[in-house]
Amino acid sequence: MIKLNVWGGAGEHGRSAYLLSGSRFRLLLDCGVKKEGMGQYPLIDPEIVPQVDAVLLSHAHEDHSVAIPLLYKMGYQGEVWTTRETREQLGTYFRAWRSNMERAGHVIPYDKADELRIRYRFLENEAERGHWFEIIPGVAAVWGRSGHLAGSVWFGLEMEGKRVLYSGDYTSESMLLQNDDVADGFRRADLNRHSRVWAAPVPIQSLQDMSNSNAPNAKTDANSEQASELVMGQAMGQTLADQAVYAQTLAATGSTGSETALGSSAVIHSNILTEQMHMRESIEAMASMSNSYQVKLDLAIVDAAYGTDQDTQADKLQQLESAISSAIARGGKVLLPMPAVGRGQEMILWAQQCFQDIPMIVEQKLVDGMTQLHRVPYWLRKGELTREGSPADSIDHFLSGEGWAKTSTEEERLQLLEQHHASLWFVPDGMMQSSLARWYYEKWASNEKNLILLTGHVAAGTFADELLKNPEEYGKCEVRKLRYKVHQGWRDVEQMLGRISARHTVLVHTDLVETERLRQGLLDEGSSAEADIYALSPGDELSF
């Protein structure tokens, strides 16, 4: 039996932290924070922390990562498994969290030294995506790209006879970032595992020793059974063609004085080759029918951040285009606060294509985020995005500086504000907590033609949240929230659950009321007739 303890992230948006405990291991999936109030940390059990064997980090966003130094403060001695790109981004999020908390007068429960104590293991060094590998003895993992952020991944786990999916933050609808389908990822890993086993060679000496150890009247099928066991135990790396050479060598050396043993070995090896070829044909057949091979899991922890929202990305883009067009038509400026890395770059490229004749101004930090994407093409989609071509081509075109203006100083900002009327402005900080975001708001507030457009999660108590709740208390400009999708909604969750067969599914990353609505909707539609779907909260435990 394995236990899931929710230290955070289920029934709420933020501080994702999920502890998996078996008889011989403890794994922690993410360890983040919530931005509300003084900053909320996971419900970490200090007595358990030193017993945790490994931490798996899905991506760099603070709601998944920023409490990791606290684990080291509490005595964690292990490693953090993540991607190189996530590691590159973490320093920015750690600094931003510290800056925001100190500016608000709040104390962080760990030191900078704890951040430096983090020991990283890079997934790419251990195995390609879609391949099983061992994290700790008895625990295997597979990973794939989740489409949420450059470097973001989902995890598959095998331990003590159980299979688990942790989706991390997942979307299949990013215009820039590639995702790896979860079900296909498990299938590919299983097929790769079988291929490795049945491609393993049988050393000549092992066959000779086995033949010599058998009585002259031993049954051939007994030899074959032992030989098959040898095959299963060999290391990977040899092809069937390589093994054919072994068989030919055995036959050619049969006159060396061990004719009976070598002849028997050659027969056995020939039988094994036949078995392997049949297995290879079966594997190839499985691969060709992969869409009908259902992945069976014991537990799936699934991103459901958008709850019962059923819109597609195309729906969202249509809504965003309409809102921006209305503001532009009345001569207003549109302010789009964005995270420094993530959906901001996608929306910049979309806006550049959609509003080609409208002046567009982009703050330096978002340009830096675009440059960061430019150097990691592995995480980008390959297909056509805009008239410039692929996402990589579109980023190249943007970075050429054509059709937009960059700003990084107050003097430049004031000059561009004076120069342009109807225009688009992309600025960092999606929740508008920074002094720069507040500066921009002051320039927007007095004109009712202007629009502030929030496109992501808005934490309670942030300035963006206050603007949404009481815009008239702050100024005259319009304030709206319209999502750009970087998570899953109802139909996305439904599709994911339709491609895997999970005995237990835990919906996470949104408030409890909305999670329960989604859970009930999925059950009413029969999305998981033979399985259990849960709406849990921090502090809850689930055994499976």
Side-chain angles (χ1 to χ4, degrees), residues 126-287:
E126 301 300 322
E128 297 178 11
R129 56 191 172 85
H131 288 74
W132 289 107
F133 66 99
E134 188 175 70
I135 290 183
I136 58 173
V139 178
V142 62
W143 63 277
R145 295 169 294 188
S146 70
H148 177 76
L149 181 71
S152 67
V153 297
W154 55 262
F155 289 103
L157 297 167
E158 281 187 349
M159 59 276 194
E160 299 184 7
K162 304 288 188 180
R163 277 190 157 193
V164 174
L165 163 68
Y166 176 48
S167 74
D169 287 0
Y170 186 93
T171 180
S172 62
E173 293 189 275
S174 169
M175 294 187 293
L176 276 184
L177 300 173
Q178 181 63 54
N179 69 293
D180 296 313
D181 180 83
V182 167
D184 286 345
F186 271 91
R187 293 188 189 106
R188 187 182 305 113
D190 291 342
L191 293 172
N192 286 332
R193 172 185 283 166
H194 289 303
S195 297
R196 290 199 303 269
V197 169
W198 286 95
V202 181
I204 297 172
Q205 188 60 48
S206 296
L207 289 166
Q208 292 174 340
D209 293 345
M210 183 190 68
S211 295
N212 291 333
S213 68
N214 282 295
N217 60 350
K219 293 183 179 179
T220 302
D221 57 354
N223 290 343
S224 298
E225 182 179 349
Q226 293 181 37
S228 295
E229 292 174 358
L230 281 171
V231 171
M232 297 296 286
Q234 301 307 315
M236 59 176 287
Q238 299 290 329
T239 65
L240 293 178
D242 295 325
Q243 296 184 40
V245 175
Y246 278 107
Q248 292 169 8
T249 303
L250 288 170
T253 58
S255 60
T256 63
S258 301
E259 291 187 12
T260 302
L262 288 170
S264 175
S265 296
V267 170
I268 294 168
H269 204 279
S270 176
N271 291 341
I272 293 169
L273 287 176
T274 301
E275 284 188 42
Q276 288 179 308
M277 288 179 178
H278 288 162
M279 177 57 79
R280 177 60 59 84
E281 291 172 359
S282 298
I283 289 171
E284 290 172 352
M286 286 175 66

Side-chain angles (χ1 to χ4, degrees), residues 82-141:
T82 192
T83 62
R84 288 185 177 278
E85 180 59 23
T86 293
R87 170 66 184 94
E88 288 294 317
Q89 297 169 19
L90 280 173
T92 299
Y93 287 98
F94 288 157
R95 287 191 297 272
W97 179 252
R98 182 174 296 278
S99 175
N100 289 337
M101 290 296 102
E102 290 177 350
R103 187 189 311 116
H106 304 318
V107 177
I108 295 178
Y110 58 79
D111 306 314
K112 289 183 180 179
D114 298 310
E115 298 173 14
L116 298 175
R117 291 171 59 200
I118 301 174
R119 295 190 294 121
Y120 296 96
R121 287 285 293 275
F122 298 121
L123 298 169
E124 305 96 321
N125 289 359
E126 301 300 322
E128 297 178 11
R129 56 191 172 85
H131 288 74
W132 289 107
F133 66 99
E134 188 175 70
I135 290 183
I136 58 173
V139 178

Side-chain angles (χ1 to χ4, degrees), residues 379-450:
W379 299 96
L380 302 178
R381 290 189 180 276
K382 303 301 183 187
E384 187 170 318
L385 174 65
T386 67
R387 61 180 179 174
E388 280 74 36
S390 68
D393 294 332
S394 299
I395 292 172
D396 278 336
H397 174 72
F398 173 82
L399 292 175
S400 72
E402 182 182 340
W404 60 279
K406 177 177 65 178
T407 181
S408 59
T409 68
E410 184 169 348
E411 182 180 356
E412 290 173 342
R413 293 172 192 126
L414 290 171
Q415 182 179 352
L416 289 166
L417 283 169
E418 182 68 26
Q419 180 180 345
H420 300 297
H421 296 287
S423 49
L424 301 179
W425 293 70
F426 286 88
V427 304
D429 187 3
M431 300 193 197
M432 302 187 70
Q433 290 288 84
S434 66
S435 57
L436 177 60
R438 304 286 184 103
W439 183 91
Y440 270 106
Y441 179 76
E442 290 176 2
K443 305 303 178 186
W444 255 247
S446 62
N447 190 339
E448 65 276 5
K449 295 180 180 179
N450 292 338

